[in-house]
Amino acid sequence: MHNFEKLVFWQKSIGFAKKIYLISQNISSDERFGLISQMKRAAISIPSNIAEGSGRNSNREFNHFLSISLGSAFELQTQIILAKELELLNLETANELLEDLSAIQKMIYSFKNNLQLKS
């Protein structure tokens, strides 16, 4: 069992989800129930799956939830790119989000690989 609150990539993904929620407040209300709603769900799915997996009985199970978390991160990456293309996010904000998300993806991937070596 791992203490997810001590995992840097969980901490960063919580901060990132908060950022998505705050940025989404500035997007027109007609889009909040479409793409923006999906982005918020994907953003919260990242730390939620890390937390859920950390409480499982084995590294193998944790690894599975890290895979789900990574999937949500790549889903969110696609949604940010689309939001940028639709001009719901300005270029600077979108690029900052993509850079932050890429760092989180790399941390999860690295931890996941190290966890597999221990299994």
Side-chain angles (χ1 to χ4, degrees), residues 100-113:
D100 291 348
L101 186 56
S102 176
I104 292 167
Q105 289 167 332
K106 289 174 184 174
M107 285 186 272
I108 295 170
Y109 185 77
S110 176
F111 187 85
K112 189 173 163 3
N113 282 344

Side-chain angles (χ1 to χ4, degrees), residues 35-111:
L35 179 59
I36 299 311
S37 176
Q38 189 66 29
M39 287 173 66
K40 288 161 67 174
R41 282 193 300 274
I44 197 60
S45 177
I46 299 167
S48 295
N49 278 293
I50 294 166
E52 184 173 354
S54 72
R56 295 299 172 135
N57 294 325
S58 69
N59 285 347
R60 184 172 180 236
E61 287 181 284
F62 190 14
N63 202 350
H64 172 73
F65 280 90
L66 291 174
S67 292
I68 295 169
S69 182
L70 264 178
S72 294
F74 283 104
E75 177 184 351
L76 183 53
Q77 180 180 354
T78 299
Q79 294 158 353
I80 292 169
I81 292 167
L82 181 57
K84 178 177 70 171
E85 294 292 321
L86 293 171
E87 298 180 353
L88 298 172
L89 294 174
N90 66 47
L91 186 62
E92 183 181 332
T93 300
N95 287 341
E96 180 184 318
L97 289 172
L98 291 169
E99 190 175 303
D100 291 348
L101 186 56
S102 176
I104 292 167
Q105 289 167 332
K106 289 174 184 174
M107 285 186 272
I108 295 170
Y109 185 77
S110 176
F111 187 85

